[in-house]
């Protein structure tokens, strides 16, 4: 029978439940470095190493790196914003004078009035009214809650990426001796960007995260460099016409099947499990559809990182994959 992968993202809900996740059927783990200090990341890695030594085996652990992913900085506390409200972003890492920190100065030079700004996988939408080197002023079109480090997308605009620098490079250099580690690279546009990480990471496993239409167009070249590829529907749905997701899934699966390498689905796979003890019928049916398309498994995000039923979500995936007929 085909062996399916169940990658559980670790977070506050599962910090002390790693062994339970393994017993429930997790085959690997993800750590989102954007939400972790170096001290916190180190504690997770030490804990994982201790557990692997105790059980006498290890499993893949993916460190999710930022790549060209844009994120908010540090907010003093979550901020609720409403449709019609006007807010200001400044190029700082920490909140300053009630403005929202957005530590990506090059984007301030590229953004124009009328540009669409999307935050937290499309949950929040804004329209830019004014932009200069010091600030971006925007009006809220769809409200929500702003939180530290949430992803930001400007539709049809991407920063240039010439080398692996800063925190991503430091994380790779400081962790590359751990044999069970690989690196998941966010927001790729092309194979050249992934090759920059390959040059730094050497022979360590790399996961290519497909979150943009540009990456789908360059999928053949990207998959040739990557060891594993994830179709990440959260940002992909925020960056493109959400009605095209079905076609993107089929195109992605067709290309990846020819590569002979594993490919997984990520992003709201079992989102209902985040606050409920079961999956929806639609989620169940869709996972079955993805198995038919040859997907190798699933990456759970909020379901296991902050969800109320993280172990149950993993067990459900295991039971579903065992029930579905072998392809």
């Amino acid at each position: 029978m085909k062996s399916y992968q169940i990658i559980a993202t670790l977070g506050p809900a599962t910090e002390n439940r790693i062994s339970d996740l393994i017993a429930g059927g997790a085959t690997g783990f993800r750590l989102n470095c954007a939400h972790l200090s170096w001290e916190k990341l180190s504690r997770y890695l030490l804990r994982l190493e201790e557990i692997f030594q105790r059980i006498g085996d290890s499993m893949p652990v993916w460190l999710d790196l930022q790549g060209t992913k844009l994120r908010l900085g540090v907010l003093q506390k979550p901020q609720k914003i409403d449709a019609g409200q006007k807010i200001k972003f400044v190029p700082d890492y920490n909140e300053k004078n009630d403005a929202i920190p957005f530590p990506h100065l090059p984007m301030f030079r590229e953004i124009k009035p009328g540009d669409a700004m999307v935050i937290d996988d499309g949950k929040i939408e804004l329209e830019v009214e004014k932009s200069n080197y010091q600030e971006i002023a925007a009006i809220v079109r769809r409200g929500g809650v702003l939180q530290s480090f949430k992803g930001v997308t400007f539709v049809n605009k991407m920063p240039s990426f010439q080398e692996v620098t800063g925190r991503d490079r430091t994380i790779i250099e400081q962790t590359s001796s751990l044999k069970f580690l690989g690196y998941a690279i966010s927001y790729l546009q092309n194979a050249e960007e992934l090759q920059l990480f390959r040059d730094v990471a050497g022979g360590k496993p790399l996961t290519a995260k497909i979150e943009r239409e540009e990456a789908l167009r360059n999928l053949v070249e990207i998959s040739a460099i990557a060891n594993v590829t994830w179709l990440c529907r959260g940002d992909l749905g925020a960056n493109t016409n959400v009605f095209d997701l079905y076609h993107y899934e089929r195109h992605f699966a067709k290309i990846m099947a020819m590569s002979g390498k594993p490919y997984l689905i990520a992003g709201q796979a079992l989102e209902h499990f985040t606050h409920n003890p079961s999956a929806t019928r639609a989620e169940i049916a869709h996972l079955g559809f993805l198995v038919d398309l040859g997907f190798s498994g699933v990456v759970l995000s909020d379901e296991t990182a902050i969800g109320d039923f993280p172990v149950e979500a993993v067990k459900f995936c295991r039971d579903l994959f065992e029930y579905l007929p072998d392809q």
Side-chain angles (χ1 to χ4, degrees):
M1 187 175 71
K2 181 177 179 179
S3 177
Y4 292 96
Q5 298 183 39
I6 304 170
I7 307 300
T9 300
L10 298 176
T14 45
E15 184 174 357
N16 299 311
R17 305 193 68 185
I18 298 174
S19 295
D20 295 335
L21 293 172
I22 294 174
T27 65
F29 297 101
R30 168 181 174 259
L31 288 164
N32 189 347
C33 294
H35 296 275
L36 297 171
S37 65
W38 174 249
E39 292 74 18
K40 189 71 171 177
L41 176 60
S42 298
R43 287 199 294 271
Y44 269 116
L45 295 178
L46 284 172
R47 177 65 175 152
L48 286 161
E49 196 169 23
E50 291 170 356
I51 291 172
F52 294 160
Q53 288 176 352
R54 189 170 69 245
I55 65 177
D57 195 9
S58 63
M59 52 186 58
V61 177
W62 298 101
L63 299 189
D64 200 326
L65 303 180
Q66 184 164 331
T68 58
K69 175 75 172 181
L70 304 174
R71 292 187 180 275
L72 299 178
V74 179
L75 295 167
Q76 295 178 8
K77 61 181 180 180
Q79 294 189 24
K80 185 177 185 299
I81 57 174
D82 300 310
Q85 182 178 344
K86 294 185 179 182
I87 59 176
K88 182 172 67 175
F89 298 84
V90 292
D92 290 293
Y93 188 75
N94 295 291
E95 189 175 341
K96 183 179 180 181
N97 298 328
D98 296 324
I100 306 301
F102 183 55
H104 300 280
L105 182 60
M107 294 305 295
F108 285 72
R109 304 186 183 100
E110 299 181 23
I111 302 309
K112 307 296 181 187
D115 283 346
M117 186 176 187
V118 179
I119 301 175
D120 195 7
D121 289 347
K123 294 183 176 69
I124 297 171
E125 295 182 3
L126 306 97
E127 181 180 335
V128 174
E129 290 193 321
K130 181 180 70 173
S131 178
N132 53 46
Y133 290 0
Q134 287 78 40
E135 67 178 59
I136 294 172
I139 185 168
V140 180
R141 297 305 185 194
R142 179 191 297 165
V145 178
L146 292 174
Q147 300 181 70
S148 299
F149 309 125
K150 287 299 182 182
V152 178
T153 298
F154 293 92
V155 179
N156 297 324
K157 289 182 182 288
M158 277 290 293
S160 60
F161 190 73
Q162 304 298 327
E163 61 178 327
V164 181
T165 59
R167 196 161 183 262
D168 282 355
R169 177 179 284 272
T170 299
I171 288 173
I172 294 173
E173 291 174 346
Q174 294 294 320
T175 61
S176 60
S177 62
L178 293 173
K179 294 182 179 180
F180 54 80
L181 279 187
Y183 305 101
I185 314 304
S186 300
Y187 240 50
L188 292 166
Q189 294 186 89
N190 51 55
E192 289 75 15
E193 289 182 353
L194 185 59
Q195 184 62 48
L196 294 173
F197 284 90
R198 172 60 72 207
D199 294 341
V200 176
K204 298 291 286 185
L206 292 183
T207 282
K209 296 176 63 183
I210 306 302
E211 303 170 278
R212 295 190 62 83
E213 197 169 21
E214 294 90 339
L216 284 168
R217 289 198 292 267
N218 297 308
L219 185 57
V220 172
E221 294 81 7
I222 289 173
S223 63
I225 299 173
N227 301 90
V228 184
T229 307
W230 297 348
L231 184 66
C232 302
R233 295 179 303 188
D235 276 313
L236 183 61
N239 283 307
T240 60
N241 185 341
V242 71
F243 297 124
D244 284 330
L245 281 178
Y246 167 79
H247 301 290
Y248 291 148
E249 287 181 353
R250 292 185 65 88
H251 171 75
F252 174 85
K254 181 179 179 180
I255 298 298
M256 288 308 304
M258 292 187 290
S259 76
K261 296 181 179 180
Y263 51 102
L264 286 75
I265 195 70
Q268 301 177 328
L270 292 175
E271 188 177 26
H272 196 251
F273 251 116
T274 306
H275 300 299
N276 298 276
S278 63
T280 66
R281 305 300 189 266
E283 288 171 337
I284 297 168
H286 190 62
L287 280 181
F289 163 73
L290 295 176
V291 167
D292 285 346
L293 289 181
F295 278 76
S296 309
V298 63
V299 182
L300 300 175
S301 300
D302 286 357
E303 300 95 331
T304 54
I306 61 172
D308 297 327
F309 304 93
V311 176
E312 290 82 356
V314 168
K315 289 180 177 177
F316 177 84
C317 286
R318 178 198 63 194
D319 293 344
L320 178 63
F321 290 145
E322 287 180 354
Y323 179 81
L324 293 173
D326 189 24
Q327 298 299 308

